[in-house]
Amino acid sequence: MAEIKTNFIVIDDSELDCFIAEKMIRHTGKCGTVISFNTAAEALEYVKNREVDDDEDCRTVLILDVLMPLMSGFAFVEEFEKLPHSIQDRYFIVALTSSMNRNDMDKIKSYRSVRLLLDKPITSEAISAFIAADKL
Amino acid sequence: MPDKIKVLYIDDELNNLVGFKASFRFSYHVYTAINTTEAVEILSAQQDIRIIFCDQRMPDKTGVEFFEEIRSHFPHPIRILLTAYADIEAVISAINRGHIFRYVKKPWVEADIISAIEEGNKFFMANSMLAVKNDELQKAYNELDKFAYSVSHDIRGPLSGILGAIRVVRHLDDIKDIKEMLYLMENSVKKLDTFILSVHDYYNLQRGELQIKEIDINYLFKDLEDLFRVSITANQISFITKVNQHAAFRCDEMTLKLILNNLIANAVKYQRLNCDQKMVELTANVERTSATFIIKDNGIGIEEKHITEIFNLFYRATSQESGSGFGLYNVKDALLKLNGDIKVSSVVDEGTIFTVTIPSK
């Protein structure tokens, strides 16, 4: 059986950070598609309206920056958790932050749908590690 | 001459009140009350009474009871008890519980009252200074908190970007890709630099003394235009300046520049990218007592719901372009120092007008 590829969505207001995440994801050699969004609002629209093939059983990893202007990572997760479970179940949210603020870190980890919190900058090793660990 | 210290004296014996007033009305502003109800009325009307003398033995309640009662409502005035008896136990316990500052024995001698007022006044002044300092300290703490919070995002953010980019570049072979990464890294470095410059501005504003001098507005505008020439030309923005000066304008040049600099930088930065007639207009109307500066652009505008927040530290109303959320906070702070005022009106996708009014010194 062929290895199952994982799809990725990157949400970060910094173009550079999106770019880095994309490169690091591709570098793992284990990814399918990678899509980046500079605002959480656009990403949310995409997630809401995305047509998903029912046969597709692999989940999409959503790399989410926590501190963004306008719609923050917190606001995104709150909206995300209001979506139907059939949609939520397709995503595996990994929060990403450069913040060293304890409150922020605890808060984002407290959301049911946030599975992991990683420090910036993201590395291929970290991505490979959680893909392997969770057997997505 | 400084204002006389306001003193309130409460006693159920009219003769005492008259005597007190007669003795001290030249040195102090004396209010008298024959009962505690009247005293509360006076305290409510005269918020700046500093010293209250109250007789201990009165028909409706004791002086100590009265002081205990008013303490929460009127915490600032200094409370001094007058007592004719040797109710020393009651007095000691009241002093110990912090209800009264000191007591004066009745019948009083003038010197005791004067010394009580002067000491009380010193205590009052020290307390109010402490309150002011406390407020300042609280403000400084709050800002430090915000600052510490932003350090991780605004300093560590761009740095982690650069670090990540370096790691990515290690895997790249194509010189075109490498150049693209360098371009993105440059933006991160610029962002960090802008942040550090804003921090510098911020501390200069907090600590700096104003240096008031006459400002040549034409020269100032020319200076600002030079400063923005590169970004104006690169983004094909028409930059228009208008000066209507009818009087000399005296102000602190550094602070004024900081204000205009930030507002123009925003006007240049937040343009509609696809607009082919980008415009920034800078107008000065100088009257005898004040100057008005209008910074107008036809850029992306600010959504109504963000307008009240844009002057808050680290608030960002858009993700277009890099910003630290420091600029307008510094502008507001600078205007506070100059006793100036700022108004903003904006329509999304049409543009923004900032109107700054600064009194001439």
Side-chain angles (χ1 to χ4, degrees), chain B residues 5-72:
Chain B
I5 298 168
K6 290 190 178 175
V7 178
L8 171 65
Y9 176 35
I10 306 132
D11 199 319
D12 60 314
E13 286 172 57
L14 189 61
N15 286 340
N16 287 347
L17 295 180
V18 173
F20 189 92
K21 197 160 189 167
S23 307
F24 302 112
R25 69 195 170 94
F26 289 110
S27 313
Y28 308 106
H29 202 130
V30 179
Y31 296 86
T32 54
I34 194 86
N35 54 45
T36 54
T37 322
E38 209 174 274
V40 170
E41 275 167 26
I42 293 172
L43 282 168
S44 305
Q46 306 291 332
Q47 294 288 341
D48 52 349
I49 283 180
R50 281 198 193 165
I51 319 271
I52 307 173
F53 287 95
C54 188
D55 184 28
Q56 165 69 353
R57 293 269 164 132
M58 292 182 296
D60 53 344
K61 60 187 73 149
T62 67
V64 172
E65 282 167 348
F66 171 70
F67 280 146
E68 272 188 66
E69 246 177 58
I70 62 160
R71 197 179 171 196
S72 59

Side-chain angles (χ1 to χ4, degrees), chain A residues 13-17 19-20 23-24 27 38-39 65 67 69-70 97-101 104 119-123, chain B residues 149 152-153 156-157 160-165 167-168 171-172 177 180-181 184-185 188 306 316-319:
Chain A
D13 61 310
S14 153
E15 219 184 314
L16 178 62
D17 289 353
F19 196 82
I20 292 164
K23 289 279 177 198
M24 289 299 178
H27 191 69
N38 284 128
T39 70
D65 182 25
L67 296 178
L70 301 178
T97 180
S98 62
S99 171
M100 295 168 293
N101 186 283
D104 279 357
D119 192 30
K120 275 189 180 182
I122 195 166
T123 60
Chain B
Y149 182 82
S152 64
H153 186 250
R156 210 169 162 244
S160 76
I162 297 163
L163 183 62
R167 289 180 187 157
V168 167
H171 304 302
L172 297 177
D177 288 349
E180 196 189 337
M181 289 307 287
L184 290 172
M185 284 160 85
S188 263
H306 297 306
R316 300 215 47 222
T318 174
S319 58

Side-chain angles (χ1 to χ4, degrees), chain B residues 30 64 93 97 102 104 144 213 215 265 274 304 315 327:
Chain B
V30 179
V64 172
S93 111
R97 277 182 291 157
R102 63 152 72 176
V104 176
L144 199 65
K213 62 171 189 175
I215 310 277
N274 53 0
E304 180 85 38
Y315 188 81

